[in-house]
Amino acid sequence: MGLDQAVTGLVAGVGFRAATTPEEIVALVRRALHEAGLAPDALTALATAADRAGAPNFLDVAAALDLAPVGIEPTALAAADAQVVTRSARIAASRGVGSVAEAAALAAAGPGARLVLPRIASAGATCALARVPDQDGRR
């Protein structure tokens, strides 16, 4: 998925270790929504790096949350990196972006997207929320 194929609405971007359970990721997404003061039904998509988008745990999370799973190509992640506010040296070295969760959320939400909630973390996953601000400027 590129930046020109944006999902409408609020997007949860996630990064996760291969062994992370779907339950842990779902709990983290729900925690992110709670911290942002948003209802669970506000989400329209779940995004991650393209090479992880077919992982069974990611697909299970998307199904559990009734969301479209979105894989973000490395070029789109890199294009969103300028807006990423969290910087992990380990992820920057392996992925070329400061935060997969933030970059995936921003890229999936599309041009003009802003972070609603910067990356939060659990033991094996990260989550960030992004969307294009409404015309009245609401984030």
Side-chain angles (χ1 to χ4, degrees):
M1 172 178 198
L3 292 174
D4 59 337
Q5 301 167 311
V7 174
T8 305
L10 182 69
V11 177
V14 296
F16 56 94
R17 293 186 173 129
T20 305
T21 66
E23 295 78 14
E24 180 180 339
I25 301 169
V26 167
L28 184 63
V29 171
R30 289 186 175 143
R31 187 178 114 208
L33 289 165
H34 178 76
E35 287 188 20
L38 297 167
D41 64 356
L43 281 177
T44 56
L46 183 72
T48 195
D51 66 324
R52 291 289 182 102
N57 52 353
F58 181 74
L59 295 175
D60 287 349
V61 171
L65 296 172
D66 195 26
L67 295 172
V70 179
I72 307 297
E73 295 297 329
T75 54
L77 289 173
D81 188 54
Q83 292 178 266
V84 167
V85 297
T86 306
R87 297 281 162 195
S88 163
R90 182 180 64 82
I91 295 303
S94 66
R95 294 284 185 167
V97 295
S99 166
V100 169
E102 290 180 12
L106 288 161
R114 297 287 177 258
L115 288 173
V116 173
L117 182 74
R119 181 190 80 178
I120 62 170
S122 65
T126 59
C127 180
L129 304 175
R131 72 169 158 216
V132 175
D134 294 339
Q135 289 184 348
D136 66 3
R138 185 176 63 92
R139 292 179 87 168

